[in-house]
Amino acid sequence: MKRNKIFLSIAMFVIIAFIVSVAIAKTKSKDNSEQELTPATPVPVTAADIEGTSHDTTALGGYNVLIADRGNNRIIEVTPDKKIVWEYKFDLPKLGLGADDAFFTDDGKSIIVNLEEYHTIEVIDYATKKVTWSYGVAGKPGSKDGMLNTPDDAYKLPNGDITVADIKNCRVLEISPDKKIVRQYGQAGKCKNTEGYLNKPNGDTPLANGHTFISNIVGRTLVELDQAWKQVFTMPFPVNYPSDPQLTKAGNILISDYSNPGQIVEVSRQGDIVWKFNGQSGDVKLNHPSLAVELPNGNILSNDDLNHRVIVIDKNTKKIIWQYGVTGKPGSGPDQLNIPDGMDIIMRNPADETPIPPSSISFDNVLKIGQVSRHTDNYVNKSVTLTGYVISKENGYAIFSDESNGSVGYYDLPVSGPGVGNFALKQKYTFQGVLKYKGL
């Protein structure tokens, strides 16, 4: 889903806490025949292959990407300039049983993973690389207490409980830290497309308002639950195989079509397709993309599983502007992946390389820079969520504006602090913080 926070201070308009958010999640089972994915045979790559991949280092908006490299039984964290800065390897009976989802949690100090074909969930301490919590019986599917059957999208909630889509048991569970089932939606062994039931759910994305998005593979539907896990909304998806619904800043739903050829579709709650991507002109088509999320700067981040790559798409031009992994050439060497099946993002503090906590924010009350800077008396010492473009980078701070071009004006907003050096000119960001002082 999504939960990244940067603490800032500036001399005039001061944004104390800068939060850029995205609810990152990924959902996927296999195809509808439930075939198990096996790692692809590694293919050597050349320096020219690697150089030929898109490498706009501003595409990610300064974030590192956590990649669940399932076919290689590992998780890696990659910087915008494609350096691996962290790696975790699973000790498993065979390749391909690795995590198909990996999300930062505990303020970036832990990573929660689900090993779908190994029927387990684990929480891994980032610093020590030790497993601190697990659920499920390794290698044994089941529906009894303590067992799962192809778990997908495990998330840790703010209260410490963990939710997971238990695909073949046709249910979504909430599990307490002491491994008790707190509640569930759907019933094991009863797979239906009616209220109160689920039909091969492969997504359970938590939203900032406490609701949950669930995607059903069979029936191709979205189910939205409220805080009490009551169904409040449902709609059919215009795709063959829906994978992991995500909420966009515009309030639409971004869904991956886990098919070949695949596609990424943004659909309104009325069912209208407002944006679609299946591959840029002249490029190969998407092959089983399982997760797509809207980055804070408006670009789309996606893992294109069976093309063995993670990509960033410019939403306006529909061009791939950043890519890790060489298209169609799986492996574990530099800039190679093998079935990258999940991802998350995190902003790092360049001063000490410690995780800056993931955080979800609501985009319901996003303000423009000018709305605040023209009426400062209304906002001083209040938390505000702003959106704007970086129009100037100075020594120790960046200046944000409502517009991407033009000279610095009286009502533009300077922001400084850890991470400000990663901001890219003319990129759009969404951030949240407490406004300090009146004068500009």
Side-chain angles (χ1 to χ4, degrees):
M1 24 254 261
K2 24 220 142 216
R3 308 176 177 109
N4 299 300
K5 191 178 296 181
I6 303 176
F7 292 96
L8 304 175
S9 64
I10 61 175
M12 302 234 181
F13 273 118
V14 178
I15 298 297
I16 290 181
F18 178 100
I19 303 174
V20 188
S21 79
V22 61
I24 285 190
K26 186 220 68 77
T27 311
K28 187 203 58 50
S29 171
K30 311 302 157 288
D31 57 20
N32 287 323
S33 63
E34 300 292 346
Q35 294 176 351
E36 181 178 342
L37 286 178
T38 56
T41 302
V43 176
V45 296
T46 65
D49 289 331
I50 296 174
E51 181 62 27
T53 61
S54 301
H55 50 268
D56 181 352
T57 56
T58 69
L60 288 157
Y63 287 91
N64 288 0
V65 182
L66 187 73
I67 302 172
D69 191 14
R70 178 175 178 169
N72 286 320
N73 283 2
R74 66 175 182 171
I75 309 169
I76 57 174
E77 182 182 338
V78 178
T79 63
D81 58 354
K82 303 187 184 182
K83 293 183 175 63
I84 296 176
V85 294
W86 187 87
E87 183 173 7
Y88 178 87
K89 294 184 178 180
F90 294 94
D91 183 12
L92 296 166
K94 62 178 181 179
L95 290 175
L97 295 178
D100 63 320
D101 294 294
F103 303 119
F104 287 108
T105 190
D106 299 326
D107 291 338
K109 297 175 183 176
S110 302
I111 295 169
I112 186 168
V113 300
N114 54 274
L115 289 76
E116 186 176 304
E117 293 299 330
Y118 211 49
H119 312 291
T120 55
I121 303 168
E122 294 180 349
V123 176
I124 301 164
D125 182 81
Y126 184 92
T128 65
K129 299 184 181 180
K130 302 293 185 183
V131 175
T132 60
W133 189 91
S134 64
Y135 188 90
V137 179
K140 294 184 179 180
S143 59
K144 295 180 180 179
D145 286 353
M147 302 186 76
L148 301 165
N149 194 338
T150 56
D152 209 357
D153 278 20
Y155 294 95
K156 192 170 185 179
L157 302 178
N159 66 0
D161 290 349
I162 287 171
T163 61
V164 64
D166 195 14
I167 297 177
K168 292 186 182 179
N169 281 327
C170 291
R171 62 185 181 177
V172 170
L173 301 177
E174 181 175 339
I175 306 164
S176 66
D178 61 354
K179 303 185 181 181
K180 306 294 184 184
I181 294 178
V182 176
R183 56 182 173 175
Q184 72 176 43
Y185 191 88
Q187 296 185 37
K190 296 183 178 180
C191 305
K192 303 178 183 181
N193 290 105
T194 57
E195 187 170 350
Y197 296 89
L198 297 171
N199 208 337
K200 301 293 177 62
N202 68 345
D204 58 311
T205 309
L207 306 181
N209 64 358
H211 288 206
T212 303
F213 273 169
I214 299 173
S215 51
N216 280 309
I217 300 170
V218 180
R220 303 190 293 272
T221 58
L222 169 78
V223 173
E224 182 179 354
L225 304 182
D226 65 12
Q227 296 93 329
W229 278 25
K230 301 295 183 182
Q231 180 178 307
V232 294
F233 180 74
T234 185
M235 65 177 288
F237 280 124
V239 298
N240 293 320
Y241 192 116
S243 182
D244 197 12
Q246 302 291 312
L247 189 66
T248 69
K249 288 178 281 188
N252 298 320
I253 300 151
L254 196 67
I255 189 73
S256 294
D257 186 354
Y258 185 71
S259 305
N260 186 24
Q263 58 182 333
I264 301 166
V265 175
E266 183 179 356
V267 59
S268 72
R269 285 181 175 265
Q270 291 72 42
D272 299 319
I273 296 176
V274 298
W275 185 85
K276 181 168 65 173
F277 180 86
N278 60 9
Q280 66 185 25
S281 178
D283 191 20
V284 299
K285 298 300 182 182
L286 299 180
N287 189 349
H288 290 81
S290 58
L291 168 64
V293 299
E294 186 179 46
L295 292 169
N297 62 10
N299 293 333
I300 302 297
L301 175 66
S302 175
N303 46 294
D304 189 14
D305 293 27
L306 297 189
N307 276 326
H308 310 289
R309 61 183 181 173
V310 171
I311 57 177
V312 176
I313 305 154
D314 183 303
K315 198 171 182 181
N316 294 321
T317 65
K318 295 188 178 181
K319 298 292 185 182
I320 295 173
I321 56 176
W322 186 90
Q323 175 172 322
Y324 190 88
V326 178
T327 305
K329 293 190 175 183
S332 59
D335 207 9
Q336 281 189 290
L337 301 168
N338 197 325
I339 314 178
D341 210 10
M343 62 189 180
D344 199 358
I345 59 172
I346 196 166
M347 184 68 76
R348 295 291 181 183
N349 183 338
D352 58 13
E353 291 299 321
T354 57
I356 295 175
S359 175
S360 290
I361 64 173
S362 171
F363 292 94
D364 295 339
N365 298 301
V366 175
L367 303 169
K368 290 186 176 181
I369 298 297
Q371 288 176 266
V372 172
S373 59
R374 283 180 169 83
H375 308 283
T376 55
D377 287 340
N378 296 332
Y379 298 103
V380 169
N381 294 323
K382 293 182 180 180
S383 179
V384 291
T385 303
L386 301 170
T387 185
Y389 297 87
V390 177
I391 61 168
S392 178
K393 294 180 71 174
E394 309 297 336
N395 184 19
Y397 65 96
I399 297 178
F400 284 77
S401 175
D402 288 338
E403 299 176 349
S404 60
N405 294 297
S407 59
V408 175
Y410 183 83
Y411 293 110
D412 294 330
L413 180 73
V415 177
S416 70
V420 71
N422 293 324
F423 300 159
L425 287 172
K426 299 184 179 181
Q427 285 287 324
K428 189 175 183 179
Y429 295 87
T430 298
F431 52 99
Q432 186 182 68
V434 178
L435 192 73
K436 291 291 184 181
Y437 308 124
K438 297 181 181 180
L440 179 60

